[in-house]
Amino acid sequence: QVQLVESGGGSVQAGGSLRLSCAASGRTFSNYGMGWFRQAPGKEREFVAVIRWSGGSTHYADSVKGRFTISRDNAKNTVYLQMNSLKPEDTAVYYCAGTQYYTDTSYYARGVYEYWGQGTQVTVSS
């Protein structure tokens, strides 16, 4: 059974940094796309970033480009989201997600992702 477990959330002031981790287990993820989504109160869950496990290609939402970096550690089966220059509007629950149906044209769609973590709260104060 696939499990995705996020960690690393917390509270930080605007301009600060956090690094989220997503530990994946239960199968081989070599052909998977691993993404991060976020959901703020009263808003829909939105795409943040994705990395293709094999090859390491990445995509980002425009709102986080230049501030967030997604990466993976093959040996640890872990995906990271380094978040710098955080803003109050980055406040949300952040979710890790995985899909074997990754494509360069559908990576941003929630429905593509089969597996989800439980989420971790990120709060940015002004």
Side-chain angles (χ1 to χ4, degrees):
Q1 181 161 348
V2 173
Q3 271 199 315
L4 303 177
V5 180
E6 303 100 332
S7 60
S11 297
V12 65
Q13 288 193 326
S17 299
L18 284 173
R19 188 177 80 157
L20 305 183
S21 300
C22 172
S25 62
R27 65 164 300 126
T28 301
F29 295 92
S30 58
N31 295 322
Y32 272 56
M34 301 297 295
W36 286 97
F37 286 73
R38 66 186 182 186
Q39 188 166 17
K43 295 189 176 181
E44 291 196 353
R45 194 170 299 188
E46 64 176 5
F47 168 78
V48 175
V50 66
I51 187 166
R52 190 160 195 168
W53 204 285
S54 175
S57 61
T58 59
H59 296 279
Y60 296 91
D62 287 343
S63 58
V64 307
K65 275 181 184 175
R67 301 188 298 123
F68 291 10
T69 303
I70 189 170
S71 62
R72 86 264 194 248
D73 184 325
N74 291 344
K76 295 182 178 179
N77 249 19
T78 299
V79 176
Y80 302 99
L81 186 68
Q82 178 67 43
M83 306 185 295
N84 298 329
S85 302
L86 282 161
K87 305 175 181 180
E89 51 263 44
D90 294 318
T91 295
V93 177
Y94 283 71
Y95 297 90
C96 177
T99 178
Q100 63 179 311
Y101 302 112
Y102 174 93
T103 71
D104 285 336
T105 56
S106 65
Y107 58 83
Y108 55 87
R110 287 176 298 170
V112 169
Y113 292 81
E114 308 158 83
Y115 305 107
W116 293 85
Q118 82 287 352
T120 185
Q121 176 71 46
V122 171
T123 303
V124 184
S125 58
S126 56

